[in-house]
Amino acid sequence: MKKSIRFWPACWLALWWWCVSPVLAQKQQTVLTGRVLRASNGDPLVGASILIKGTKRGTITNRAGRYRLVLTEPVTIVARFVGFRDVEVLLLPTGKPIEQNFDLLSNDTQLADVLVAANRQDEYLQKVPVAASVVGRRDLERRSIYNTMEALNNTPNLITDSWLNSQVSFSIRGLSTVFDNVGFESTVALYIDDVYFSRSFAFNQTLMDIDRVEVLRGPQGTLFGKNTIGGVIHIISEKPDMNNNAQIELNYGNYNFRQIRAKLNQQLIKDKLAFRMTGALSLRDGYVTDRTPAIEALNKTAFFGLRGSLLFTPSDRVSLTLRGNYGRDGKAENTFVYTSKPDYNPVGVRADEGLTTNQNAPAEFTRDQYGAMGKLEVKLGRNTLTAISALNSSSDSYFSDNDISSADASRWGRSQGLRTFSQELRINSPRDQKFAYVAGLYYLNERISVTDTFTLNKDFVPVAARLLGTPIANASKFTSEGYTSNAVIQSQSTAGFVSGTFELTPKLRMSGGLRLTTETRELAYYQRIRNQFLNGKPFNIINLYATNIGSKANPETRQTTNLALSYDVGLDYRFTSNLMGYAKFVRGFKGAGFNTTPIKDSESGGLVFRPEYVNNYEIGVKAKPTERVQINGAVFYTDYKDKQELLDQGTRVRVANAPLTRGYGAEVEFSAMLKRFRLDLSAGYLNLKFIDFPFGTDDNGNPVNYAGNRLLKAPDWTFSVAPEYNIPLNDRYRVFVGLNINHTGKAYNDISNSEILARVPASIVNGRLALVPANGKWSVALWGKNLTNKLYIQHGWEYEFGNQIAWSRPRYYGVEVYLNFR
């Protein structure tokens, strides 16, 4: 098939030459000139070869990367330089001078030239004055990464955790999302293919067709908008291409792990229209074992998802991409165990041991997600106009034994939904001109709803007596009291933004940007309690936590309006073509929010909390002294005002603004490659604390101030090392061996810095051993994660009836088979 594909263009070219050669013979020779440059930084490649394919004719570039060649007939020109990918161009002699420049990319024997869209268009990472990490397709494959959380393990000053697939937390530079209150918007913004998601419901999906995952650390409010104080995680999918191919991947591992992922790419109209479809099915038993078989049977993971995309390029100046997706989770992977203190056992139940629990109700969970987006790109001269429209929806439902023990103390359920429409219109210039800019308008409309149901049951009575300071009358007759709370948030946000870079000298650039955001949010909230009556009198045990607030017909309402200006200013200086330093200041903003969890008083409990602001100062350096070594680093200082914080004590949730929060940190990333060996290192350090944080009173009425406490999910150290080695067996096969070691220092899981719930320092070791043929048609790999079986607490809550913690995953391993159909 390949021979026939190559044969026909050769015939047409020969026929064309036979017809026109008498005419061309009468014309002058064509002089071909140009430059050969490194694509990532524009450096000239000295001594690059310019060859006429199929002959021994050619030349090499001079010190400026220039070449000159004379043509007399149609030829294919090949630009070649050691360590870079060849580029071929078909040229026809015209009798007039032709200039043909070549931009070469690194090949697999050197560090790849990585792209990042920090300025809302693709640029080479080493050119962009932003602290950014990029996890590409190569990393996803060689580290056996199967979901988005795993993709972020090697990023400095970033940690992730999850106690359900729908309840995901990620923290960048000590600034974390809150996953247990939909009234809190994320501090770290999540983007998927240029589309913003204000909640992390959709975060931890099984990866299927990901081109790369970008992490932009520090505030990114000018170009990426609101709620980017901690940074941005941008997941970029593969686009359809004008080829026909397919891939399938099969996995099997312990805990009965079964996964299949597949993708198909089809060219429908030559060079005009292409289609891509991907799908994934992931099943696994739970790793926390319940002693009750009927409950244990539901402790599993089950995910199914589809994604489709269509690329239409009617001309070289117009591109339209359409995407759609659907995903469903059908099981709840329970990670909780009961962990009462040794000297405090409120419900008379011993603490669970290890990854074994004994609950009296199953954890039930379902989630459905779907969405669609369209992206139109039009070339206007050298500029590009981009329009992006998106609709997304997510809904899930969860129910569990809230006390996580064999006692029947409480049960809790939640259903929540999110519907969004967003529209963005922006125009940008090329980044290689003296003044480069991007400007645009953005609109977001959201509806978020949540319903909580909660009951206190018979085994809570001893706890209630202690809290009330008096015995409960007729305690043996008590069965259940509870509440239902409902919140609906309608929000609209509109923004205009502009950002630019001006070249002051050939080496010095100044950058700056502004974004004006206006937001309006409306809350409708009601809460109804259910009392048990005996002889006409209520027990009033549920009144410890909730009271009647509004009604379905007449809910309590609140409204907030914010008008805020975010901005940044910076300088970057290119000492050499491979060494850049930068300094920048960023003013960030996050709007006011609502406490949608159950409260005891609509006023003192605080349905509304204030917006927060941050000033961030950063100095960084980016260096790539050779094609095989790269090092990037940054130091930063953060100054917060009115930081939004939540103290989740299970049945009681309190929200407040911390007046002053400050801290500093540093991070560095290093990569090096030899002939068959590659090493990636990263390290991060954080020191962020509350300077002033009054937080009400304790149980004895004494004022509480969390000044001096560390921020939650802000480890002091993060470190990773990822060595890999390729061993050629012969001309047809090679073996790949890779390790991925990640260390996270101590981190607290709540703002009160509870030691019993803290995440202990832990080092996680992952590995992969793969056999790969030279033609890339298939591969077989053995993989293992957490090989040393290290366990740590991902998250936890302090309850009056005892504490509960969510464990990290234990050791798991499996085999992967990959097939490539071209």
Side-chain angles (χ1 to χ4, degrees), residues 84-104:
F84 289 78
R85 302 173 191 170
D86 291 357
V87 175
E88 297 185 4
V89 175
L90 175 64
L91 294 174
L92 305 176
T94 63
K96 297 180 180 179
I98 297 176
E99 180 164 348
Q100 176 66 52
N101 296 324
F102 294 90
D103 294 321
L104 303 191

Side-chain angles (χ1 to χ4, degrees), residues 14-25:
L15 179 62
W16 179 89
W17 178 248
W18 181 80
C19 295
V20 303
S21 59
V23 178
L24 291 178

Side-chain angles (χ1 to χ4, degrees), residues 711-738:
L711 274 64
L712 76 159
K713 302 194 181 296
D716 47 2
W717 287 97
T718 55
F719 177 79
S720 75
V721 55
E724 58 184 56
Y725 192 67
N726 282 284
I727 307 170
L729 301 180
N730 50 43
D731 292 340
R732 298 181 60 188
Y733 301 102
R734 61 186 174 90
V735 171
F736 168 82
V737 182

Side-chain angles (χ1 to χ4, degrees), residues 118 163 206 215 357 363 489 509 781:
W163 59 271
T206 299
V215 179
T357 187
I489 299 174
R509 296 186 306 175

Side-chain angles (χ1 to χ4, degrees), residues 362-377:
E364 300 175 0
F365 171 68
T366 59
R367 175 177 60 180
D368 290 280
Q369 297 175 310
Y370 56 88
M373 65 87 72
K375 181 177 181 179
L376 176 67
E377 296 175 282

Side-chain angles (χ1 to χ4, degrees), residues 122 137 140 191-194 205 207-213 234-240 263 276 278 307-309 321 323-325 373:
D122 287 349
R137 272 180 287 180
L140 298 174
Y191 275 76
I192 301 177
D193 293 323
D194 273 319
Q205 291 190 0
L207 295 176
M208 292 179 280
D209 60 341
I210 305 302
D211 179 69
R212 65 184 188 266
V213 179
H234 192 182
I235 302 169
I236 300 174
S237 303
E238 296 174 343
K239 274 187 175 183
K263 55 185 176 181
R276 181 184 289 265
T278 67
R307 292 163 62 94
S309 54
T321 304
R323 298 184 187 272
N325 66 277
M373 65 87 72

